[in-house]
Every structure is written in structure tokens, then in C-alpha cells.
Amino acid sequence: MPLRNPLRITITIGSPGAEEVLTVIDGEDDMPQNWQLRSNDYTAQNRDRVIADVTAAGFELKLPPGARYGDEVEVLIDGTNPLTINPNGAKVNGAVAPLAVTSDRAKLEIVYKDDARGWLVGAGSTAGTGGGGTEPTPTPTPTPTPSSLLTGLSAFWKLGDLKDEANNSNLINSGVTFANGEASFNGSSFLYTPNAVGLQASTELTIAFMAKIAPSGYCALFSKWESNGTKTDYLIDFYGTTVQLNIAKSDNSAGTTIAASVGTLDNYHLIVAKITPNSISLRVDNGTPVTSQITASCRVTDCDLTLGSFGGTRDHKVSAGTLYKFAGVWKRVLTDEEETKLWNNGSGLEHPFS
């Protein structure tokens, strides 16, 4: 058990007039005490460790009387009512006035220096007023920052359940089956949401989806495009091993098409298409984007958004065995870093993008 009062032994060595004085302090006194819980006025002793419970009401903690250099008291505060630190005849932080502490979970290291400064309360360990102290603002617990991929997200479909995780544009199913978080197409099936007004390329737009494409002839992967009319906005289609982004222009001039290779068809690929009033781009997986400047913005109509075929006549469907993991639409241009997150080394990153 540590001693409350140190044993001091003074030894005088040498002849009169040339003596040396050695003071030995019992080493056990340097050991801290066990934590003790206090909720009423209390006079601390050297080396005390006090949990000050001020959840119901504040109280006064008197520091040890007759303090000497190096004496110390450790305090952990539970609650926001004031704990008054009374220096008990000495000073605290160089002032005679007591120190009032009101910070929940503040941990105070209180050490005695000398008559001029008295008890010193470690800067940054307390939020208090009085006693010559200041009140540092406690560091709050950080609030998790939502992923930037949630910004501007208009629709995001986990294709295991058709539900739009971002809004209310749930897809309508025509023959697609679902298992293990995948949407499986059979050669005559497709998914769509009618009159997809909220998914138009009216300003900036990013389309991203992850698909394992079965070998096939020409097919439509992701379209806001009717093959039998003038409602043609944008289309991502596929032929052989090449994916293409096509846009119709608002001034009815010739559309623009760009293409990128998907390479092997044995695994999933992330397809990212971006449309702005001045440019379009297409990227496969984490490869280099293919880009093109455009002279007119993308056309805007109220046609359906369709996965796995065109709108309208629903022709050029994807081949049997084609699988989709997810698809999303953002009303902004994603950054390279965000696209890399979605790619996730080929595994894909699904909403909420944690």
C-alpha cells in the first residue's frame, strides 16, 4: 500500500563546514493510488486519483494542504455540473481564485510547482474558468463523413432486389431473375423505369454499372433511347468486345459516339459514362477514359430508362447469361478517385459506399 505521507530521511556527510546533506524520500510514495469515486466535497491527498461524479450536482475538490514541489492529483470528471478545484491556501495556475471545470470526461493532471505558480492544471486537459485558467474547447467525437459518392446520386439499383436505394425510381422487371445479389438476363428479359425524367442529361450526368456481359451480337446495355422514334437521349451499347456511348444532340445535329474495349468477357466490368454540355467520356474498369468534345448538349426527352435492351420496341436485348451487379446515375461528374472506389479492384462497391 503506497504511503500517504513520504518518509524523508536526512543524512549529513562530511566534516563541519563541508558537509553534504542527502534527503531520501521513500520510493513507494511515487506510486499512484487506485481510482476512487467521489460525488461530494472532498479534500484530496498527494497522489490521489479521483473520479469526480458531477452528473447529479457539482461539488468542491480541495487540493492537498501544505503542498510541495511535485505533489500531484489526477482527476477524471463524469458529468457537466461544475467541479470547483480549491487550491486550499495555495494558488492554481498562478491565481488565488478557485478553478471551475465544466467539461464532461475532462482528465485533469494537477501538479504543484512553487509558491508563485502554485498548482498547475495541464493545458488542454481541462475546460475551466477562474483560477487564472482558460477554457479550451473539448475535442468533439468526429462525426463520420458520408461518402462523396452519395452526393448528387439520383438513382442506384442493387440488382438483387430492384429497389432504388437513392430515390423512388424502382425498376420494373420483365423476365429477369435474381440470385446472390445479381440480376440474370435470359436473352429476352430486361429492366426499365418509365418516363425517367429525373435521369436526363440536362446538365451533367454520370452513369455507372457493373455487368458480366455474355458473348453476343449487337445489344443495348443501358439506354434512354427508343429505337422506333425520336425519343433518343443516350445509349450504352455493346458489340463483340467493344462498349460504346452514343448521345443524340439537342440541336438535332448528328450524334456523337465513342468506344472502349472491355477485353475478356469472363468477368465483371465497371462501365462509367459521363455526359456534360461540352463533352462525353467512357471508361471501362480502371482504364484510361475515352473522351470527346461535343458541339451541342445531349437531347432531353421523357423516354424510359432500360437495362438490357432499347426502349420502345425493346429490341437488341442482351444475351442469355448476362449478369448485372448494380447500376447508378449521378447528376454530376464523378472524379477519378470516386470511379476507382466504385471499381474496387473488380469487386464493385455498392450503396451506401461504406
Side-chain angles (χ1 to χ4, degrees):
M1 177 72 181
L3 298 176
R4 287 293 186 178
N5 297 301
L7 175 63
R8 298 175 184 266
I9 304 173
T10 301
I11 303 173
T12 302
I13 304 174
S15 57
E19 66 267 24
E20 295 183 16
V21 177
L22 172 67
T23 300
V24 179
I25 302 176
D26 186 282
E28 270 197 306
D29 189 58
D30 289 337
M31 297 176 61
Q33 306 298 311
N34 293 326
W35 286 98
Q36 53 183 303
L37 181 64
R38 299 288 177 174
S39 58
N40 296 300
D41 292 351
Y42 173 67
T43 299
Q45 301 185 57
N46 185 33
R47 312 295 180 191
D48 264 357
R49 305 172 83 193
V50 177
I51 298 175
D53 183 356
V54 290
T55 54
F59 66 90
E60 181 180 79
L61 177 69
K62 284 186 177 180
L63 298 176
R68 290 174 291 190
Y69 175 81
D71 285 356
E72 62 181 341
V73 175
E74 189 174 2
V75 181
L76 179 62
I77 299 175
D78 181 23
T80 57
N81 287 303
L83 176 69
T84 302
I85 307 295
N86 185 333
N88 205 359
K91 295 179 181 179
V92 60
N93 289 347
V96 177
L99 177 70
V101 184
T102 56
S103 288
D104 187 23
R105 290 169 297 159
K107 189 174 183 181
L108 315 182
E109 299 284 349
I110 308 173
V111 181
Y112 189 82
K113 181 189 176 189
D114 54 28
D115 290 343
R117 295 290 290 155
W119 293 94
L120 301 179
V121 180
S125 68
T126 178
T129 57
T134 59
E135 186 166 354
T137 302
T139 302
T141 301
T143 300
T145 302
S147 168
S148 61
L149 283 167
L150 296 174
T151 303
L153 184 63
S154 292
F156 193 93
W157 301 281
K158 291 181 181 177
L159 295 173
D161 60 10
L162 295 182
K163 180 182 177 183
D164 176 7
E165 302 289 335
N167 211 314
N168 295 308
S169 300
N170 291 340
L171 293 167
I172 298 172
N173 182 17
S174 179
V176 176
T177 58
F178 303 94
N180 302 317
E182 298 174 316
S184 179
F185 292 72
N186 61 17
S188 61
S189 55
F190 57 90
L191 302 167
Y192 72 102
T193 182
N195 303 321
V197 175
L199 307 177
Q200 298 165 331
S202 52
T203 52
E204 293 182 342
L205 198 74
T206 298
I207 302 152
F209 61 94
M210 200 149 198
K212 185 176 181 180
I213 308 167
S216 64
Y218 179 76
C219 63
L221 298 172
F222 193 105
S223 71
K224 199 171 184 303
W225 190 291
E226 294 184 1
S227 59
N228 60 340
T230 59
K231 292 184 176 182
T232 52
D233 294 19
Y234 53 81
L235 165 67
I236 301 171
D237 57 20
F238 175 78
Y239 182 75
T241 58
T242 300
V243 63
Q244 297 183 130
L245 169 63
N246 311 268
I247 67 160
K249 293 183 180 178
S250 57
D251 64 357
N252 295 318
S253 61
T256 301
T257 300
I258 54 177
S261 173
V262 298
T264 177
L265 300 182
D266 295 334
N267 53 284
Y268 271 96
H269 294 287
L270 176 69
I271 312 298
V272 180
K274 296 188 282 192
I275 304 171
T276 77
N278 303 307
S279 66
I280 59 175
S281 72
L282 184 64
R283 185 180 192 181
V284 177
D285 298 334
N286 60 342
T288 301
V290 178
T291 62
S292 177
Q293 299 299 306
I294 55 177
T295 57
S297 60
C298 183
R299 182 181 293 155
V300 170
T301 73
D302 62 352
C303 63
D304 298 352
L305 185 145
T306 308
L307 278 67
S309 78
F310 280 102
T313 57
R314 311 296 186 189
D315 52 1
H316 297 298
K317 299 178 181 68
V318 295
S319 294
T322 295
L323 303 172
Y324 285 65
K325 275 189 177 180
F326 64 79
V329 179
W330 287 258
K331 282 285 193 177
R332 66 179 182 90
V333 171
L334 297 187
T335 66
D336 288 346
E337 181 183 7
E338 290 168 332
E339 292 173 33
T340 299
K341 286 181 180 179
L342 280 177
W343 164 236
N344 194 25
N345 293 318
S347 298
L349 187 67
E350 293 191 352
H351 186 282
F353 315 120
S354 56

